[in-house]
Amino acid sequence: MTVTPLGIPRRLLEFTLDGEAARVPEGATILDACRAAGKDVPTLCEGDTLRPKNACRVCVVEVEGARTLVPSCSRRAEPGMVVRTDTERARHSRRIVLELLASSVDLSTTPRVAEWIKEYEAKPDRFGPDAARLNETPKIDNDLYVRDYAKCILCYKCVDACGDQWQNSFAISVTGRGFDARIAVEHDAPLTDSACVYCGNCIEVCPTGALSPRSEFDRRAAGTWDESAQTRTTTVCAYCGVGCGLTLHVQDNEIVKVTSPHDNPVTHGNLCIKGRFGYQHVQNRG
């Protein structure tokens, strides 16, 4: 007989979302409610395996009675609250955020950003050719992954994944202030001289491609990276007895990247260096 764990039941609360009644479990965020209702609220820094950081501010919505717009990724729904997600005020704020981000960093590999820029009629070019940009050279100092900080929006997700929320290596932090703020390892040293254990969990949570596997970076540089031609196969890592779930990304009959399902009860999207990067033996045809 199979027993399905039900967990601790949560009380449902009601509030108004864009003029309609919404019911969500106690503790759910406004963003949770929006997704349950099929509303497409954009977000960059939010991740389903990390605590909300409120960094990008693309997901802001209007709450009746609140002085400012609130980030829907972290604001918990409350009984009786009135939320509007598509007001001119919210759309204007998202447009400005998208313009500022797209004018200062490379968002070419950020999923859905081009779609949002079009939807909110953002014009990053309006700041002119003299707008400050993060024109940094990609850091390629190891064979496993690349740090391309010209694409970094300082969402801090990699810092959290490397820190107390998952890996507890604390190899990644923020250095500098203002526009000079950067993601870096201790003393801004090469990655090979840091506390990094190459688990790649920072890559898993990066929303912009600022952190990417070396295999993906090289294929993009060569113009051969094609996600539409890739298949995904879920399997179990064979290196040890933990039983981590793997998703193999295959293109042209070759594994090009390994990720882990975020809903996997063992890994929650996280892997070690062997699971994420140690797949070459599978396709060794020599």
Side-chain angles (χ1 to χ4, degrees):
M1 176 175 144
T2 302
V3 178
T4 303
L6 298 178
I8 301 174
R10 292 192 291 172
R11 181 183 308 169
L12 293 178
L13 56 86
E14 295 186 2
F15 70 103
T16 302
L17 181 63
D18 288 336
E20 299 181 359
R23 300 181 70 196
V24 294
E26 200 171 44
T29 64
I30 295 175
L31 185 60
D32 292 333
C34 290
R35 288 173 172 169
K39 297 183 182 296
D40 185 21
V41 175
T43 181
L44 290 173
C45 72
E46 185 268 344
D48 56 358
T49 63
L50 298 169
R51 292 192 296 270
K53 199 69 176 182
N54 307 333
C56 74
R57 296 286 164 159
V58 181
C59 71
V60 290
V61 295
E62 196 165 351
V63 175
E64 190 172 282
R67 181 177 60 86
T68 62
L69 296 171
V70 302
S72 61
C73 66
S74 62
R75 179 66 181 269
R76 298 189 185 279
E78 300 173 7
M81 74 179 347
V82 178
V83 179
R84 290 184 288 272
T85 66
D86 201 37
T87 64
E88 180 52 37
R89 186 184 179 194
R91 292 183 65 87
H92 177 75
S93 178
R94 293 173 192 163
R95 180 165 61 249
I96 294 296
V97 170
L98 288 169
E99 287 178 343
L100 291 172
L101 287 176
S103 68
S104 59
V105 301
D106 177 10
L107 299 181
S108 61
T109 55
T110 305
R112 300 197 61 191
V113 158
E115 171 189 340
W116 292 331
I117 287 176
K118 181 178 180 181
E119 177 183 352
Y120 292 100
E121 299 179 342
K123 296 179 174 60
D125 294 337
R126 72 184 181 90
F127 298 110
D130 296 329
R133 289 188 63 85
L134 294 178
N135 294 319
E136 296 196 13
T137 303
K139 296 179 182 292
I140 307 175
D141 52 13
N142 67 92
D143 294 331
L144 300 182
Y145 72 94
V146 176
R147 298 175 290 162
D148 188 358
Y149 290 144
K151 298 178 179 179
C152 178
I153 62 170
L154 291 176
C155 68
Y156 304 101
K157 292 173 73 173
C158 59
V159 178
D160 290 339
C162 187
D164 62 355
Q165 291 193 39
W166 284 118
Q167 192 62 28
N168 287 288
S169 291
F170 299 96
I172 308 174
S173 61
V174 180
T175 183
R177 296 186 176 211
F179 196 79
D180 292 326
R182 299 287 189 276
I183 301 296
V185 298
E186 58 268 30
H187 308 298
D188 202 19
L191 201 66
T192 49
D193 296 334
S194 73
C196 178
V197 296
Y198 299 95
C199 62
N201 294 328
C202 55
I203 301 173
E204 185 71 34
V205 299
C206 179
T208 65
L211 303 173
S212 64
R214 181 71 181 271
S215 56
E216 178 179 346
F217 180 85
D218 289 345
R219 280 177 170 264
R220 286 187 182 275
T224 59
W225 181 262
D226 185 3
E227 290 189 5
S228 65
Q230 295 174 11
T231 60
R232 300 186 180 189
T233 302
T234 300
T235 183
V236 177
C237 182
Y239 275 106
C240 71
V242 172
C244 297
L246 306 182
T247 299
L248 307 181
H249 301 243
V250 178
Q251 180 181 331
D252 300 328
N253 200 32
E254 182 178 345
I255 299 173
V256 294
K257 183 170 73 171
V258 174
T259 59
S260 179
H262 288 197
D263 59 354
N264 185 284
V266 177
T267 60
H268 301 286
N270 299 291
L271 294 170
C272 73
I273 182 175
K274 294 179 180 180
R276 194 176 301 279
F277 297 114
Y279 55 81
Q280 291 75 12
H281 66 285
V282 177
Q283 53 207 22
N284 186 356
R285 301 178 179 92

